Amino acid sequence: MSASWWLWPLVAICAADSFREQAERIMQDTPVIDGHNDLPWQMLSLFNNQLRDERANLTTLADTHTNIPKLEAGFVGGQFWSVYVPCDTQNKDAVKRTLEQMDVVHRMCQLYPETFLCVTSSAGIRQAFRERKVASLIGVEGGHSIDSSLGVLRALYHLGMRYLTLTHSCNTPWADNWLVDRGDDQAESQGLSLFGQHVVKEMNRLGVMIDLAHVSVATMKAALQLSKAPVIFSHSSAYSLCRHRRNVPDDVLQMVKDTGSLVMVNFYTEYVSCSARASLSQVADHLDYIKKVAGPGAVGLGGDYDGVSSLPVGLEDVSKYPDLIAELLRRNWTEAEVRGALADNLLRVFEAVEQASDHSKSPEEEPIPLDQLDGSCRTSYGYSEAPSLHRKPGALLAFLTPLLLSLCSL
Ligand SMILES: *[C@@H]1O[C@H](CO)[C@@H](O)[C@H](O)[C@H]1NC(C)=O
Ligand SMILES: *[C@@H]1O[C@H](CO)[C@@H](O)[C@H](O)[C@H]1NC(C)=O
Ligand SMILES: [Zn+2]
């Protein structure tokens, strides 16, 4: 036995520390880009979106997973803020509420310019890195937010949407959600309907990333096959390690590999361990597994902070990312692999999506068939079934115009 056996525990402790130090050194110039954070939803539910309420101050906000000091401690350099509106807004005020949550993200950037830089491109993310700010981007969580309208899809793009999750936990008229795979919802589109295919093509044309978190396996496969650019899972883990239908099965991970796509691992305990308790090490198992099956280029982080009720021990809030990175280094991930999971893989996918976009190509115009729309709140202007299509609005305008002109001359 070696004479210096008594040194071993010390060596172990120093090694542990050095992994954490190495993680921090790497994260100085490659901070985390996280795929999914629900802070905007917290702003709505806690403060009805009144960001200047003292209690909403993001420097001192205490009861959330996310605040400004925690983001700094966690080396977060990029965040796709989730613009989430629940499924019960579908066919009601989904679009209005989506616009309001996008406005919240813009106001966060305005109110805390030292911390957040709202950007809409991979170049913008790199700029924020240089300025040591949190590149802030918008991911819209749920296809119901576009209310089956390509015009709304394009308008949201113009307002900064850079990914759209094709469904939340409900079907849209054009794509099926994961509850179908659990038998709790009926399959309606068998993946993507014809209109759903138009949505995916239009997202490709615009340069909006296709997010397959929350969708059914058939929808995952249909989108992976159809998309001209790589796709993301903004907050999903590995099905083989925890058999929850929100996670990504192996045959889909193979398609992720073949298409250069990305799985950003979710930290929610129910998706990590299929129970209310989980550990940091189990999250690292998911990262290891996806790396093994789909390659190191397919791994990312999408913590789902402020969108979930239970998180693993050791990953309680956004300040903890360096501990997870230290664990990957302990597991012999190379520096390049770690940088990939932190930011480089997302940047690669985002750049490929930008390169595949083509704003000189004609926009998709064909509307969804009227009979595929539900809900009594909707008018049907433009569809041939619509009553008095050509006359009424024109007549109203003819009536109003002299009135408006006379008001203008006042
Ligand atoms: C938040 O609180 C900090 C520290 O108390 C203060 O400096 C800052 O002005 C506040 N910001 C906003 C937007 O209220
Ligand atoms: C990491 O690599 C070292 C040195 O090659 C080896 O001894 C160790 O078992 C590896 N650890 C893991 C978790 O693979
Ligand atoms: Zn979600």
Side-chain angles (χ1 to χ4, degrees):
M1 172 158 270
S2 153
S4 54
W5 59 270
W6 52 273
L7 267 173
W8 289 0
L10 195 62
V11 168
I13 288 165
C14 292
D17 274 343
S18 85
F19 288 129
R20 168 75 200 207
E21 275 164 25
Q22 198 189 343
E24 290 190 17
R25 181 182 57 73
I26 292 171
M27 295 173 90
Q28 297 283 350
D29 38 63
T30 309
V32 190
I33 304 173
D34 180 274
H36 197 86
N37 182 303
D38 272 304
L39 187 62
W41 176 252
Q42 295 296 329
M43 292 296 112
L44 174 66
S45 31
L46 298 172
F47 311 114
N48 207 3
N49 285 341
Q50 298 169 96
L51 302 190
R52 283 185 296 121
D53 185 319
E54 255 173 60
R55 295 168 304 146
N57 189 317
L58 294 183
T59 309
T60 49
L61 190 66
D63 297 331
T64 49
H65 304 145
T66 312
N67 66 23
I68 290 173
K70 288 172 186 168
L71 287 166
E72 280 168 9
F75 292 83
V76 177
Q79 184 64 63
F80 283 84
W81 299 108
S82 170
V83 158
Y84 161 68
V85 305
C87 275
D88 62 355
T89 64
Q90 178 152 234
N91 300 319
K92 294 186 188 133
D93 54 355
V95 174
K96 171 216 170 204
R97 287 197 174 274
T98 300
L99 295 175
E100 287 175 345
Q101 296 314 99
M102 294 178 91
D103 170 67
V104 165
V105 177
H106 290 300
R107 282 191 287 128
M108 277 167 50
C109 292
Q110 192 178 33
L111 212 47
Y112 302 95
E114 250 87 280
T115 303
F116 302 120
L117 184 66
C118 273
V119 302
T120 53
S121 64
S122 57
I125 295 176
R126 294 186 196 281
Q127 180 61 33
F129 280 10
R130 284 191 289 273
E131 295 182 29
R132 309 226 158 252
K133 291 179 181 166
V134 181
S136 294
L137 300 102
I138 291 173
V140 173
E141 189 180 18
H144 58 287
S145 281
I146 67 165
D147 198 19
S148 300
S149 163
L150 295 168
V152 174
L153 176 76
R154 285 186 283 271
L156 296 188
Y157 168 81
H158 289 303
L159 293 174
M161 170 180 71
R162 286 300 178 270
Y163 77 63
L164 173 67
T165 318
L166 297 185
T167 71
H168 192 253
S169 299
C170 53
N171 290 347
T172 64
W174 46 271
D176 292 341
N177 84 101
W178 66 277
L179 290 169
V180 165
D181 296 331
R182 211 173 66 177
D184 290 339
D185 255 344
Q186 294 289 319
E188 291 176 58
S189 300
Q190 322 305 326
L192 290 169
S193 74
L194 190 60
F195 182 79
Q197 294 168 27
H198 289 322
V199 171
V200 164
K201 284 182 190 159
E202 189 63 356
M203 289 172 71
N204 280 165
R205 190 191 68 84
L206 290 166
V208 178
M209 288 188 284
I210 292 151
D211 176 23
L212 301 179
H214 284 279
V215 305
S216 72
V217 170
T219 307
M220 293 175 192
K221 290 180 177 173
L224 274 154
Q225 260 154 22
L226 182 62
S227 179
K228 280 195 306 165
V231 306
I232 62 167
F233 291 78
S234 69
H235 57 306
S236 300
S237 301
Y239 182 77
S240 281
L241 296 191
C242 160
R243 296 178 166 261
H244 191 294
R245 298 289 183 177
R246 268 287 281 104
N247 286 338
V248 189
D250 284 357
D251 53 345
V252 174
L253 285 178
Q254 196 55 52
M255 295 175 78
V256 164
K257 180 181 192 173
D258 296 341
T259 54
S261 294
L262 179 64
V263 179
M264 305 176 94
V265 167
N266 194 315
F267 300 171
Y268 183 34
T269 59
E270 293 293 338
Y271 304 161
V272 172
S273 65
C274 287
S275 80
R277 295 183 55 80
S279 63
L280 178 151
S281 167
Q282 287 175 305
V283 173
D285 291 345
H286 281 266
L287 294 158
D288 263 341
Y289 187 83
I290 292 165
K291 176 170 162 243
K292 190 180 82 189
V293 176
V299 188
L301 304 169
D304 213 354
Y305 284 111
D306 281 309
V308 297
S309 48
S310 54
L311 286 155
V313 174
L315 287 172
E316 291 83 359
D317 61 56
V318 300
S319 70
K320 308 289 184 163
Y321 294 102
D323 293 327
L324 181 57
I325 298 309
E327 174 64 18
L328 300 182
L329 293 166
R330 186 172 299 117
R331 295 180 181 207
N332 289 344
W333 284 45
T334 68
E335 186 166 325
E337 289 168 350
V338 162
R339 288 186 196 274
L342 282 166
D344 290 350
N345 293 338
L346 184 281
L347 284 166
R348 182 200 76 236
V349 169
F350 196 12
E351 275 162 7
V353 168
E354 289 169 338
Q355 270 155 27
S357 74
D358 184 358
H359 289 260
S360 66
K361 216 173 110 195
S362 300
E364 289 280 345
E365 292 193 330
E366 194 181 327
I368 194 167
L370 183 59
D371 62 9
Q372 290 179 18
L373 293 175
D374 288 329
S376 55
C377 299
R378 185 180 282 109
T379 55
S380 55
Y381 295 120
Y383 289 97
S384 59
E385 297 90 333
S388 310
L389 180 60
H390 297 295
R391 272 206 243 115
K392 277 239 175 92
L396 187 64
L397 199 62
F399 167 75
L400 280 176
T401 304
L403 191 67
L404 289 171
L405 287 176
S406 68
L407 281 174
C408 292
S409 64
L410 285 177

PDB file of all heavy atoms in Angstrom, residues 176-206:
ATOM      1  N   ASP A 176     -50.681  17.002 -32.975  1.00  0.00           N
ATOM      2  CA  ASP A 176     -51.093  16.243 -31.785  1.00  0.00           C
ATOM      3  C   ASP A 176     -50.074  16.381 -30.655  1.00  0.00           C
ATOM      4  O   ASP A 176     -48.869  16.496 -30.901  1.00  0.00           O
ATOM      5  CB  ASP A 176     -51.243  14.758 -32.140  1.00  0.00           C
ATOM      6  CG  ASP A 176     -52.414  14.506 -33.081  1.00  0.00           C
ATOM      7  OD1 ASP A 176     -53.299  15.383 -33.175  1.00  0.00           O
ATOM      8  OD2 ASP A 176     -52.418  13.440 -33.731  1.00  0.00           O
ATOM      9  N   ASN A 177     -50.584  16.329 -29.422  1.00  0.00           N
ATOM     10  CA  ASN A 177     -49.718  16.486 -28.253  1.00  0.00           C
ATOM     11  C   ASN A 177     -49.441  15.145 -27.571  1.00  0.00           C
ATOM     12  O   ASN A 177     -50.067  14.123 -27.864  1.00  0.00           O
ATOM     13  CB  ASN A 177     -50.334  17.506 -27.285  1.00  0.00           C
ATOM     14  CG  ASN A 177     -51.360  16.889 -26.359  1.00  0.00           C
ATOM     15  OD1 ASN A 177     -51.091  16.608 -25.190  1.00  0.00           O
ATOM     16  ND2 ASN A 177     -52.567  16.654 -26.883  1.00  0.00           N
ATOM     17  N   TRP A 178     -48.509  15.174 -26.606  1.00  0.00           N
ATOM     18  CA  TRP A 178     -48.014  13.950 -25.968  1.00  0.00           C
ATOM     19  C   TRP A 178     -49.093  13.150 -25.237  1.00  0.00           C
ATOM     20  O   TRP A 178     -48.949  11.942 -25.068  1.00  0.00           O
ATOM     21  CB  TRP A 178     -46.879  14.286 -24.988  1.00  0.00           C
ATOM     22  CG  TRP A 178     -47.302  15.095 -23.794  1.00  0.00           C
ATOM     23  CD1 TRP A 178     -47.460  16.452 -23.743  1.00  0.00           C
ATOM     24  CD2 TRP A 178     -47.633  14.614 -22.479  1.00  0.00           C
ATOM     25  NE1 TRP A 178     -47.865  16.849 -22.490  1.00  0.00           N
ATOM     26  CE2 TRP A 178     -47.967  15.725 -21.684  1.00  0.00           C
ATOM     27  CE3 TRP A 178     -47.655  13.345 -21.898  1.00  0.00           C
ATOM     28  CZ2 TRP A 178     -48.338  15.625 -20.348  1.00  0.00           C
ATOM     29  CZ3 TRP A 178     -48.024  13.230 -20.553  1.00  0.00           C
ATOM     30  CH2 TRP A 178     -48.360  14.362 -19.801  1.00  0.00           C
ATOM     31  N   LEU A 179     -50.180  13.798 -24.823  1.00  0.00           N
ATOM     32  CA  LEU A 179     -51.240  13.074 -24.100  1.00  0.00           C
ATOM     33  C   LEU A 179     -51.882  11.999 -24.980  1.00  0.00           C
ATOM     34  O   LEU A 179     -52.445  11.029 -24.482  1.00  0.00           O
ATOM     35  CB  LEU A 179     -52.300  14.055 -23.589  1.00  0.00           C
ATOM     36  CG  LEU A 179     -51.833  14.963 -22.443  1.00  0.00           C
ATOM     37  CD1 LEU A 179     -52.842  16.081 -22.194  1.00  0.00           C
ATOM     38  CD2 LEU A 179     -51.594  14.158 -21.168  1.00  0.00           C
ATOM     39  N   VAL A 180     -51.752  12.171 -26.310  1.00  0.00           N
ATOM     40  CA  VAL A 180     -52.231  11.158 -27.246  1.00  0.00           C
ATOM     41  C   VAL A 180     -51.486   9.837 -27.000  1.00  0.00           C
ATOM     42  O   VAL A 180     -52.090   8.761 -26.996  1.00  0.00           O
ATOM     43  CB  VAL A 180     -52.034  11.646 -28.698  1.00  0.00           C
ATOM     44  CG1 VAL A 180     -52.171  10.516 -29.689  1.00  0.00           C
ATOM     45  CG2 VAL A 180     -53.010  12.777 -29.010  1.00  0.00           C
ATOM     46  N   ASP A 181     -50.180   9.944 -26.743  1.00  0.00           N
ATOM     47  CA  ASP A 181     -49.371   8.731 -26.544  1.00  0.00           C
ATOM     48  C   ASP A 181     -49.685   8.055 -25.211  1.00  0.00           C
ATOM     49  O   ASP A 181     -49.381   6.878 -25.023  1.00  0.00           O
ATOM     50  CB  ASP A 181     -47.872   9.073 -26.595  1.00  0.00           C
ATOM     51  CG  ASP A 181     -47.464   9.590 -27.961  1.00  0.00           C
ATOM     52  OD1 ASP A 181     -48.099   9.194 -28.953  1.00  0.00           O
ATOM     53  OD2 ASP A 181     -46.517  10.399 -28.037  1.00  0.00           O
ATOM     54  N   ARG A 182     -50.261   8.810 -24.274  1.00  0.00           N
ATOM     55  CA  ARG A 182     -50.626   8.233 -22.978  1.00  0.00           C
ATOM     56  C   ARG A 182     -52.067   7.738 -22.998  1.00  0.00           C
ATOM     57  O   ARG A 182     -52.562   7.226 -21.999  1.00  0.00           O
ATOM     58  CB  ARG A 182     -50.453   9.302 -21.888  1.00  0.00           C
ATOM     59  CG  ARG A 182     -50.073   8.736 -20.546  1.00  0.00           C
ATOM     60  CD  ARG A 182     -49.742   9.815 -19.551  1.00  0.00           C
ATOM     61  NE  ARG A 182     -50.903  10.633 -19.220  1.00  0.00           N
ATOM     62  CZ  ARG A 182     -50.879  11.614 -18.314  1.00  0.00           C
ATOM     63  NH1 ARG A 182     -49.739  11.912 -17.691  1.00  0.00           N
ATOM     64  NH2 ARG A 182     -51.958  12.320 -18.057  1.00  0.00           N
ATOM     65  N   GLY A 183     -52.736   7.953 -24.132  1.00  0.00           N
ATOM     66  CA  GLY A 183     -54.129   7.521 -24.241  1.00  0.00           C
ATOM     67  C   GLY A 183     -55.115   8.482 -23.610  1.00  0.00           C
ATOM     68  O   GLY A 183     -56.288   8.161 -23.458  1.00  0.00           O
ATOM     69  N   ASP A 184     -54.654   9.682 -23.243  1.00  0.00           N
ATOM     70  CA  ASP A 184     -55.551  10.645 -22.599  1.00  0.00           C
ATOM     71  C   ASP A 184     -56.131  11.665 -23.567  1.00  0.00           C
ATOM     72  O   ASP A 184     -56.891  12.546 -23.163  1.00  0.00           O
ATOM     73  CB  ASP A 184     -54.810  11.376 -21.466  1.00  0.00           C
ATOM     74  CG  ASP A 184     -54.536  10.437 -20.299  1.00  0.00           C
ATOM     75  OD1 ASP A 184     -55.232   9.407 -20.197  1.00  0.00           O
ATOM     76  OD2 ASP A 184     -53.618  10.721 -19.504  1.00  0.00           O
ATOM     77  N   ASP A 185     -55.716  11.601 -24.808  1.00  0.00           N
ATOM     78  CA  ASP A 185     -56.269  12.469 -25.857  1.00  0.00           C
ATOM     79  C   ASP A 185     -56.383  11.624 -27.127  1.00  0.00           C
ATOM     80  O   ASP A 185     -55.635  10.653 -27.290  1.00  0.00           O
ATOM     81  CB  ASP A 185     -55.316  13.646 -26.141  1.00  0.00           C
ATOM     82  CG  ASP A 185     -55.817  14.962 -25.556  1.00  0.00           C
ATOM     83  OD1 ASP A 185     -57.010  15.043 -25.214  1.00  0.00           O
ATOM     84  OD2 ASP A 185     -54.999  15.905 -25.462  1.00  0.00           O
ATOM     85  N   GLN A 186     -57.296  12.002 -28.007  1.00  0.00           N
ATOM     86  CA  GLN A 186     -57.438  11.304 -29.286  1.00  0.00           C
ATOM     87  C   GLN A 186     -56.438  11.865 -30.285  1.00  0.00           C
ATOM     88  O   GLN A 186     -56.246  13.087 -30.337  1.00  0.00           O
ATOM     89  CB  GLN A 186     -58.845  11.567 -29.854  1.00  0.00           C
ATOM     90  CG  GLN A 186     -59.978  10.980 -29.028  1.00  0.00           C
ATOM     91  CD  GLN A 186     -60.005   9.472 -29.129  1.00  0.00           C
ATOM     92  OE1 GLN A 186     -59.816   8.918 -30.208  1.00  0.00           O
ATOM     93  NE2 GLN A 186     -60.211   8.802 -28.003  1.00  0.00           N
ATOM     94  N   ALA A 187     -55.841  11.004 -31.097  1.00  0.00           N
ATOM     95  CA  ALA A 187     -55.039  11.494 -32.225  1.00  0.00           C
ATOM     96  C   ALA A 187     -55.987  12.158 -33.221  1.00  0.00           C
ATOM     97  O   ALA A 187     -57.048  11.621 -33.528  1.00  0.00           O
ATOM     98  CB  ALA A 187     -54.290  10.348 -32.880  1.00  0.00           C
ATOM     99  N   GLU A 188     -55.626  13.351 -33.674  1.00  0.00           N
ATOM    100  CA  GLU A 188     -56.483  14.050 -34.640  1.00  0.00           C
ATOM    101  C   GLU A 188     -55.760  14.285 -35.960  1.00  0.00           C
ATOM    102  O   GLU A 188     -56.353  14.221 -37.024  1.00  0.00           O
ATOM    103  CB  GLU A 188     -56.926  15.402 -34.076  1.00  0.00           C
ATOM    104  CG  GLU A 188     -57.890  15.292 -32.898  1.00  0.00           C
ATOM    105  CD  GLU A 188     -58.221  16.649 -32.305  1.00  0.00           C
ATOM    106  OE1 GLU A 188     -58.729  17.517 -33.058  1.00  0.00           O
ATOM    107  OE2 GLU A 188     -57.945  16.851 -31.111  1.00  0.00           O
ATOM    108  N   SER A 189     -54.468  14.613 -35.872  1.00  0.00           N
ATOM    109  CA  SER A 189     -53.728  14.969 -37.090  1.00  0.00           C
ATOM    110  C   SER A 189     -52.787  13.861 -37.538  1.00  0.00           C
ATOM    111  O   SER A 189     -52.117  14.009 -38.548  1.00  0.00           O
ATOM    112  CB  SER A 189     -52.923  16.250 -36.858  1.00  0.00           C
ATOM    113  OG  SER A 189     -53.782  17.315 -36.511  1.00  0.00           O
ATOM    114  N   GLN A 190     -52.708  12.763 -36.789  1.00  0.00           N
ATOM    115  CA  GLN A 190     -51.743  11.682 -37.068  1.00  0.00           C
ATOM    116  C   GLN A 190     -50.356  12.297 -37.266  1.00  0.00           C
ATOM    117  O   GLN A 190     -49.674  12.036 -38.241  1.00  0.00           O
ATOM    118  CB  GLN A 190     -52.133  10.873 -38.313  1.00  0.00           C
ATOM    119  CG  GLN A 190     -53.612  10.627 -38.513  1.00  0.00           C
ATOM    120  CD  GLN A 190     -54.275   9.946 -37.299  1.00  0.00           C
ATOM    121  OE1 GLN A 190     -53.655   9.126 -36.624  1.00  0.00           O
ATOM    122  NE2 GLN A 190     -55.514  10.312 -37.012  1.00  0.00           N
ATOM    123  N   GLY A 191     -49.945  13.111 -36.307  1.00  0.00           N
ATOM    124  CA  GLY A 191     -48.681  13.833 -36.444  1.00  0.00           C
ATOM    125  C   GLY A 191     -48.990  15.267 -36.810  1.00  0.00           C
ATOM    126  O   GLY A 191     -49.367  16.071 -35.965  1.00  0.00           O
ATOM    127  N   LEU A 192     -48.843  15.565 -38.107  1.00  0.00           N
ATOM    128  CA  LEU A 192     -49.140  16.912 -38.606  1.00  0.00           C
ATOM    129  C   LEU A 192     -50.203  16.825 -39.691  1.00  0.00           C
ATOM    130  O   LEU A 192     -50.078  16.021 -40.615  1.00  0.00           O
ATOM    131  CB  LEU A 192     -47.875  17.542 -39.229  1.00  0.00           C
ATOM    132  CG  LEU A 192     -46.737  17.948 -38.296  1.00  0.00           C
ATOM    133  CD1 LEU A 192     -45.497  18.287 -39.121  1.00  0.00           C
ATOM    134  CD2 LEU A 192     -47.133  19.126 -37.417  1.00  0.00           C
ATOM    135  N   SER A 193     -51.222  17.645 -39.604  1.00  0.00           N
ATOM    136  CA  SER A 193     -52.194  17.736 -40.695  1.00  0.00           C
ATOM    137  C   SER A 193     -51.537  18.458 -41.877  1.00  0.00           C
ATOM    138  O   SER A 193     -50.407  18.947 -41.772  1.00  0.00           O
ATOM    139  CB  SER A 193     -53.426  18.517 -40.242  1.00  0.00           C
ATOM    140  OG  SER A 193     -53.098  19.894 -40.169  1.00  0.00           O
ATOM    141  N   LEU A 194     -52.264  18.551 -42.973  1.00  0.00           N
ATOM    142  CA  LEU A 194     -51.729  19.293 -44.117  1.00  0.00           C
ATOM    143  C   LEU A 194     -51.401  20.731 -43.713  1.00  0.00           C
ATOM    144  O   LEU A 194     -50.334  21.262 -44.049  1.00  0.00           O
ATOM    145  CB  LEU A 194     -52.760  19.274 -45.252  1.00  0.00           C
ATOM    146  CG  LEU A 194     -52.252  19.791 -46.599  1.00  0.00           C
ATOM    147  CD1 LEU A 194     -51.075  18.949 -47.094  1.00  0.00           C
ATOM    148  CD2 LEU A 194     -53.385  19.780 -47.633  1.00  0.00           C
ATOM    149  N   PHE A 195     -52.309  21.354 -42.951  1.00  0.00           N
ATOM    150  CA  PHE A 195     -52.032  22.714 -42.501  1.00  0.00           C
ATOM    151  C   PHE A 195     -50.805  22.732 -41.571  1.00  0.00           C
ATOM    152  O   PHE A 195     -49.976  23.645 -41.647  1.00  0.00           O
ATOM    153  CB  PHE A 195     -53.247  23.316 -41.789  1.00  0.00           C
ATOM    154  CG  PHE A 195     -53.013  24.741 -41.354  1.00  0.00           C
ATOM    155  CD1 PHE A 195     -53.099  25.781 -42.270  1.00  0.00           C
ATOM    156  CD2 PHE A 195     -52.681  25.040 -40.034  1.00  0.00           C
ATOM    157  CE1 PHE A 195     -52.848  27.095 -41.883  1.00  0.00           C
ATOM    158  CE2 PHE A 195     -52.433  26.356 -39.644  1.00  0.00           C
ATOM    159  CZ  PHE A 195     -52.527  27.379 -40.572  1.00  0.00           C
ATOM    160  N   GLY A 196     -50.693  21.706 -40.716  1.00  0.00           N
ATOM    161  CA  GLY A 196     -49.526  21.619 -39.833  1.00  0.00           C
ATOM    162  C   GLY A 196     -48.224  21.549 -40.623  1.00  0.00           C
ATOM    163  O   GLY A 196     -47.200  22.112 -40.229  1.00  0.00           O
ATOM    164  N   GLN A 197     -48.283  20.872 -41.774  1.00  0.00           N
ATOM    165  CA  GLN A 197     -47.092  20.818 -42.632  1.00  0.00           C
ATOM    166  C   GLN A 197     -46.769  22.211 -43.187  1.00  0.00           C
ATOM    167  O   GLN A 197     -45.605  22.595 -43.290  1.00  0.00           O
ATOM    168  CB  GLN A 197     -47.317  19.817 -43.767  1.00  0.00           C
ATOM    169  CG  GLN A 197     -47.445  18.382 -43.243  1.00  0.00           C
ATOM    170  CD  GLN A 197     -47.964  17.414 -44.302  1.00  0.00           C
ATOM    171  OE1 GLN A 197     -47.770  17.623 -45.490  1.00  0.00           O
ATOM    172  NE2 GLN A 197     -48.625  16.360 -43.859  1.00  0.00           N
ATOM    173  N   HIS A 198     -47.823  22.972 -43.497  1.00  0.00           N
ATOM    174  CA  HIS A 198     -47.589  24.343 -43.957  1.00  0.00           C
ATOM    175  C   HIS A 198     -46.963  25.189 -42.854  1.00  0.00           C
ATOM    176  O   HIS A 198     -46.093  26.023 -43.114  1.00  0.00           O
ATOM    177  CB  HIS A 198     -48.905  25.001 -44.402  1.00  0.00           C
ATOM    178  CG  HIS A 198     -49.453  24.447 -45.681  1.00  0.00           C
ATOM    179  ND1 HIS A 198     -48.653  24.091 -46.741  1.00  0.00           N
ATOM    180  CD2 HIS A 198     -50.725  24.182 -46.065  1.00  0.00           C
ATOM    181  CE1 HIS A 198     -49.413  23.630 -47.731  1.00  0.00           C
ATOM    182  NE2 HIS A 198     -50.677  23.673 -47.346  1.00  0.00           N
ATOM    183  N   VAL A 199     -47.400  24.965 -41.607  1.00  0.00           N
ATOM    184  CA  VAL A 199     -46.828  25.711 -40.482  1.00  0.00           C
ATOM    185  C   VAL A 199     -45.326  25.432 -40.374  1.00  0.00           C
ATOM    186  O   VAL A 199     -44.508  26.351 -40.256  1.00  0.00           O
ATOM    187  CB  VAL A 199     -47.547  25.362 -39.154  1.00  0.00           C
ATOM    188  CG1 VAL A 199     -46.807  25.964 -37.954  1.00  0.00           C
ATOM    189  CG2 VAL A 199     -48.998  25.842 -39.172  1.00  0.00           C
ATOM    190  N   VAL A 200     -44.973  24.137 -40.452  1.00  0.00           N
ATOM    191  CA  VAL A 200     -43.554  23.776 -40.338  1.00  0.00           C
ATOM    192  C   VAL A 200     -42.746  24.395 -41.481  1.00  0.00           C
ATOM    193  O   VAL A 200     -41.663  24.955 -41.278  1.00  0.00           O
ATOM    194  CB  VAL A 200     -43.400  22.238 -40.306  1.00  0.00           C
ATOM    195  CG1 VAL A 200     -41.964  21.809 -40.580  1.00  0.00           C
ATOM    196  CG2 VAL A 200     -43.873  21.700 -38.946  1.00  0.00           C
ATOM    197  N   LYS A 201     -43.279  24.331 -42.696  1.00  0.00           N
ATOM    198  CA  LYS A 201     -42.556  24.908 -43.847  1.00  0.00           C
ATOM    199  C   LYS A 201     -42.402  26.414 -43.684  1.00  0.00           C
ATOM    200  O   LYS A 201     -41.356  26.985 -44.021  1.00  0.00           O
ATOM    201  CB  LYS A 201     -43.306  24.600 -45.143  1.00  0.00           C
ATOM    202  CG  LYS A 201     -43.139  23.161 -45.600  1.00  0.00           C
ATOM    203  CD  LYS A 201     -43.867  22.930 -46.927  1.00  0.00           C
ATOM    204  CE  LYS A 201     -43.923  21.453 -47.258  1.00  0.00           C
ATOM    205  NZ  LYS A 201     -44.985  21.130 -48.210  1.00  0.00           N
ATOM    206  N   GLU A 202     -43.452  27.048 -43.182  1.00  0.00           N
ATOM    207  CA  GLU A 202     -43.381  28.497 -43.009  1.00  0.00           C
ATOM    208  C   GLU A 202     -42.382  28.868 -41.911  1.00  0.00           C
ATOM    209  O   GLU A 202     -41.678  29.868 -42.019  1.00  0.00           O
ATOM    210  CB  GLU A 202     -44.777  29.061 -42.703  1.00  0.00           C
ATOM    211  CG  GLU A 202     -44.882  30.568 -42.718  1.00  0.00           C
ATOM    212  CD  GLU A 202     -44.579  31.212 -44.081  1.00  0.00           C
ATOM    213  OE1 GLU A 202     -44.204  30.501 -45.025  1.00  0.00           O
ATOM    214  OE2 GLU A 202     -44.704  32.449 -44.170  1.00  0.00           O
ATOM    215  N   MET A 203     -42.306  28.042 -40.862  1.00  0.00           N
ATOM    216  CA  MET A 203     -41.303  28.283 -39.821  1.00  0.00           C
ATOM    217  C   MET A 203     -39.901  28.162 -40.411  1.00  0.00           C
ATOM    218  O   MET A 203     -39.018  28.967 -40.095  1.00  0.00           O
ATOM    219  CB  MET A 203     -41.504  27.308 -38.653  1.00  0.00           C
ATOM    220  CG  MET A 203     -42.756  27.612 -37.837  1.00  0.00           C
ATOM    221  SD  MET A 203     -43.133  26.341 -36.612  1.00  0.00           S
ATOM    222  CE  MET A 203     -41.822  26.611 -35.409  1.00  0.00           C
ATOM    223  N   ASN A 204     -39.689  27.167 -41.257  1.00  0.00           N
ATOM    224  CA  ASN A 204     -38.405  27.029 -41.957  1.00  0.00           C
ATOM    225  C   ASN A 204     -38.100  28.269 -42.784  1.00  0.00           C
ATOM    226  O   ASN A 204     -36.987  28.784 -42.778  1.00  0.00           O
ATOM    227  CB  ASN A 204     -38.417  25.827 -42.914  1.00  0.00           C
ATOM    228  CG  ASN A 204     -38.177  24.486 -42.228  1.00  0.00           C
ATOM    229  OD1 ASN A 204     -38.418  23.438 -42.801  1.00  0.00           O
ATOM    230  ND2 ASN A 204     -37.684  24.504 -40.992  1.00  0.00           N
ATOM    231  N   ARG A 205     -39.096  28.746 -43.504  1.00  0.00           N
ATOM    232  CA  ARG A 205     -38.882  29.905 -44.385  1.00  0.00           C
ATOM    233  C   ARG A 205     -38.529  31.138 -43.574  1.00  0.00           C
ATOM    234  O   ARG A 205     -37.643  31.921 -43.944  1.00  0.00           O
ATOM    235  CB  ARG A 205     -40.128  30.179 -45.231  1.00  0.00           C
ATOM    236  CG  ARG A 205     -39.915  31.223 -46.344  1.00  0.00           C
ATOM    237  CD  ARG A 205     -41.211  31.664 -46.987  1.00  0.00           C
ATOM    238  NE  ARG A 205     -42.039  32.435 -46.091  1.00  0.00           N
ATOM    239  CZ  ARG A 205     -41.923  33.742 -45.866  1.00  0.00           C
ATOM    240  NH1 ARG A 205     -41.016  34.449 -46.501  1.00  0.00           N
ATOM    241  NH2 ARG A 205     -42.721  34.351 -45.000  1.00  0.00           N
ATOM    242  N   LEU A 206     -39.223  31.294 -42.421  1.00  0.00           N
ATOM    243  CA  LEU A 206     -38.984  32.481 -41.595  1.00  0.00           C
ATOM    244  C   LEU A 206     -37.677  32.401 -40.815  1.00  0.00           C
ATOM    245  O   LEU A 206     -37.031  33.424 -40.562  1.00  0.00           O
ATOM    246  CB  LEU A 206     -40.133  32.654 -40.591  1.00  0.00           C
ATOM    247  CG  LEU A 206     -41.490  33.063 -41.145  1.00  0.00           C
ATOM    248  CD1 LEU A 206     -42.571  32.844 -40.087  1.00  0.00           C
ATOM    249  CD2 LEU A 206     -41.463  34.528 -41.599  1.00  0.00           C
TER     250      LEU A 206
END
